[in-house]
């Protein structure tokens, strides 16, 4: 079992920044691949970013590449998503997720555990 808790969401103006955190407990966090997804009202959950267990690699959706940065601190069992140059279309509930797999990370079905989500709202 892995428990994931997101924090750091909120309301920000376009062009602003937010940093999301995902605190993990349970099984060995340092051996898990971690990811961020988001879901806007009326839309399907979409991949945002993922990071390997050893911080050796990270991947991003094209829509956030160059603006968002995923990172993790295995000593603190925490993952982060630094979001800069936010746009109104980034408005969504953001979820963190974990998996033992290292491929097909853009697919939500690959992830085994999910947090409850944190709301990010970007005003024009």
């Amino acid at each position: 079992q892995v428990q994931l808790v997101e924090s750091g969401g909120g309301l920000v103006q376009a062009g602003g920044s937010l940093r999301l955190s995902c605190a993990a407990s349970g099984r060995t966090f340092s051996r898990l691949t971690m990811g961020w997804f988001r879901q806007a009202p009326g839309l399907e959950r979409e991949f945002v970013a993922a990071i390997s267990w050893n911080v050796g690699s990270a991947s991003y959706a094209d829509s956030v590449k160059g603006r968002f940065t995923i990172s993790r601190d295995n000593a603190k069992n925490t993952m982060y998503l630094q979001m800069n140059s936010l746009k109104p279309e980034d408005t969504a509930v953001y979820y963190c997720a974990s998996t033992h797999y290292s491929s097909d990370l853009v697919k939500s079905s690959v992830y085994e555990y999910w947090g409850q989500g944190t709301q990010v709202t970007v005003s024009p």
Side-chain angles (χ1 to χ4, degrees):
Q1 282 278 354
V2 177
Q3 293 79 43
L4 303 172
V5 179
E6 303 95 336
S7 61
L11 174 64
V12 64
Q13 287 188 329
S17 299
L18 282 174
R19 188 176 81 154
L20 305 183
S21 299
C22 173
S25 60
R27 300 186 67 176
T28 308
F29 174 79
S30 62
R31 306 300 294 184
L32 298 173
T33 299
M34 300 295 295
W36 287 100
F37 283 75
R38 66 186 182 186
Q39 187 167 19
L43 299 179
E44 293 187 353
R45 191 170 297 189
E46 66 172 358
F47 171 78
V48 175
I51 188 166
S52 63
W53 67 272
N54 61 355
V55 202
S57 65
S59 57
Y60 298 90
D62 288 343
S63 59
V64 307
K65 202 170 293 183
R67 300 188 297 123
F68 291 10
T69 302
I70 190 172
S71 62
R72 65 190 295 167
D73 185 338
N74 287 340
K76 295 182 178 179
N77 281 10
T78 303
M79 175 180 65
Y80 305 97
L81 185 68
Q82 178 66 44
M83 305 186 295
N84 298 329
S85 301
L86 282 162
K87 305 174 181 180
E89 50 264 43
D90 294 318
T91 295
V93 177
Y94 283 70
Y95 299 90
C96 68
S98 67
T99 179
H100 289 88
Y101 298 99
S102 57
S103 60
D104 293 329
L105 297 179
V106 300
K107 298 179 181 178
S108 60
S109 58
V110 167
Y111 294 81
E112 299 150 324
Y113 296 98
W114 293 82
Q116 82 290 347
T118 186
Q119 177 71 47
V120 171
T121 302
V122 184
S123 61

